[in-house]
């Protein structure tokens, strides 16, 4: 069992304890050289090589813990940040590029409902009552008649924490709002409320700014290593401007002279997904020794 007194001088870092973000977060921590043991699935783990304690929490709780200063730093989804309504009390440090999904309004494929405004005044079930409430409040203003507004008609938002997709099948709702793929449940999307991904967030008043900066820098490096590859090639000076347009790098390419004054060596970071096409383009303008 972790001695709570041992946490007093450590930065507290909230990590999703399960779900779609958990495993990727562990891989990210490993790449950033954050070494720890988590015996018996305890929810607090001390980092061995930095003054950090990892606190494993439900992803939906992390925004509030960070905003209230219970933990200094956290990883969670943009959707739960917006749902928790804490944007003014946290700083969003870095988009992490994983956990991407869409929070959508969905209905049964066999339903007569064909567009999102058809749901105005009906029943919506969701785990995101704040986001859904704000979204349908705007639709109510736009599509409800004056008589309906006077009668107090509005779209009903109901919280469901478990199997949201079952609600439509059981006749408990006319539509749902969810971030998961629902095709298997016989549902299809009508509109997107927001796009989400994992975000690194911090408390505004954390006293550990230097360590937070170090961690943020390490995590940026891990993300860059996962997304980019270093490309080397030789090119004639007369074609250098064309080459650097093809490989501008993240900031700028590195250009080094060769023994032959007519040629230079270029090093540049390029997106892994685009590297094959970029190599083809470089070869077309006369680049050699492309690695």
């Amino acid at each position: 069992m972790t001695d709570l007194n041992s946490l007093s001088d450590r930065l507290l870092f909230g990590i999703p304890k399960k779900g779609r973000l958990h495993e990727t977060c562990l891989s990210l921590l490993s790449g950033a050289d954050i070494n720890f043991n988590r015996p018996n699935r305890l929810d607090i783990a001390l980092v061995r090589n930095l003054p950090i304690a990892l606190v494993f929490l439900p992803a939906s709780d992390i925004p509030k813990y960070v905003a209230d200063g219970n933990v200094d730093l956290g990883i969670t989804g943009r959707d739960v940040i917006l749902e928790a309504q804490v944007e003014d009390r946290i700083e969003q440090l870095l988009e992490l590029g994983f956990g991407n999904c869409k929070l959508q309004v969905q209905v049964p494929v066999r339903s007569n409902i064909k567009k999102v405004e058809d749901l105005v005044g009906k029943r919506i079930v969701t785990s995101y009552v704040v986001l859904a409430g704000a979204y349908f409040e705007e639709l109510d203003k736009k599509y409800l008649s004056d008589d309906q507004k006077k009668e107090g008609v509005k779209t009903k938002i109901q919280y469901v924490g478990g199997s949201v997709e079952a609600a439509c099948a059981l006749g408990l709702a006319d539509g749902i709002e969810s971030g998961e793929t629902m095709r298997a449940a016989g549902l299809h999307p009508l509109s997107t409320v927001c796009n989400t991904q994992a975000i690194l967030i911090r408390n505004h008043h954390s006293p550990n700014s230097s360590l937070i900066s170090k961690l943020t820098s390490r995590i940026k490096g891990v993300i860059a290593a996962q997304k980019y590859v270093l490309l080397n090639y030789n090119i004639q000076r007369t074609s250098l401007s064309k080459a650097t347009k093809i490989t501008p790098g993240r900031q700028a390419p590195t250009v080094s002279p060769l023994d032959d004054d007519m040629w230079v060596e270029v090093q540049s970071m390029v997106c892994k997904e685009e590297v094959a096409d970029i190599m083809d383009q470089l070869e077309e303008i006369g680049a050699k020794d492309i690695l």
Side-chain angles (χ1 to χ4, degrees), residues 8-201:
S8 59
D9 296 324
R10 290 177 177 265
L11 179 141
L12 302 184
F13 192 171
I15 303 295
K17 66 188 299 183
K18 59 183 179 179
R20 60 191 174 89
L21 301 183
H22 176 72
E23 292 299 331
T24 311
C25 283
L26 294 186
S27 176
L28 189 67
L29 295 176
S30 176
D33 193 31
I34 298 173
N35 301 320
F36 67 96
N37 287 324
R38 187 187 176 193
N40 301 320
R41 308 294 289 175
L42 292 178
D43 286 340
I44 297 178
L46 301 183
V47 174
R48 296 193 297 270
N49 56 335
L50 288 168
I52 297 170
L54 304 180
V55 185
F56 293 90
L57 299 164
S60 58
D61 290 344
I62 289 176
K64 186 176 187 305
Y65 276 90
V66 174
D68 291 345
N70 302 118
V71 297
D72 302 286
L73 197 65
I75 293 176
T76 190
R78 174 178 280 121
D79 51 345
V80 293
I81 294 170
L82 296 174
E83 181 69 14
Q85 298 179 291
V86 295
E87 301 101 297
D88 60 333
R89 294 194 288 138
I90 63 168
E91 181 181 354
Q92 300 187 36
L93 295 174
L94 189 63
E95 294 182 344
L96 299 176
F98 62 86
N100 297 279
C101 72
K102 295 178 180 180
L103 191 63
Q104 295 181 317
V105 179
Q106 304 198 9
V107 296
V109 173
R110 297 180 180 179
S111 169
N112 293 325
I113 296 169
K114 303 302 179 186
K115 52 188 184 296
V116 71
E117 50 264 39
D118 294 339
L119 286 168
V120 168
K122 299 187 182 297
R123 300 166 298 172
I124 308 297
V125 294
T126 179
S127 300
Y128 296 86
V129 292
V130 171
L131 286 171
Y135 184 77
F136 279 97
E137 184 179 359
E138 293 303 313
L139 292 178
D140 284 355
K141 290 177 182 177
K142 186 174 182 180
Y143 292 106
L144 286 175
S145 68
D146 290 339
D147 287 341
Q148 287 176 311
K149 292 174 183 175
K150 289 177 183 178
E151 293 171 4
V153 174
K154 64 178 183 177
T155 305
K156 300 173 182 65
I157 309 297
Q158 181 178 348
Y159 175 80
V160 176
S163 181
V164 180
E165 67 271 22
C168 286
L170 295 173
L172 302 176
D174 301 294
I176 70 168
E177 188 192 46
S178 174
E180 301 299 322
T181 301
M182 294 294 173
R183 237 175 283 168
L187 302 169
H188 74 107
L190 293 182
S191 66
T192 296
V193 177
C194 74
N195 293 299
T196 182
Q197 65 172 299
I199 307 286
L200 179 68
I201 61 176

Side-chain angles (χ1 to χ4, degrees), residues 230-236 243 247 254 256-260 262-268 275 278-291:
L230 183 63
L231 191 66
N232 285 53
Y233 59 91
N234 296 332
I235 190 77
Q236 287 187 317
T247 59
T254 299
S256 304
L258 297 175
D259 287 342
D260 186 336
M262 296 179 64
W263 289 77
V264 293
E265 178 190 21
V266 179
Q267 294 183 334
S268 183
V275 67
I278 289 172
M279 292 172 72
D280 290 342
Q281 293 176 50
L282 289 172
E283 192 165 352
E284 288 175 3
I285 64 169
K288 304 293 184 183
D289 305 316
I290 304 172
L291 302 172

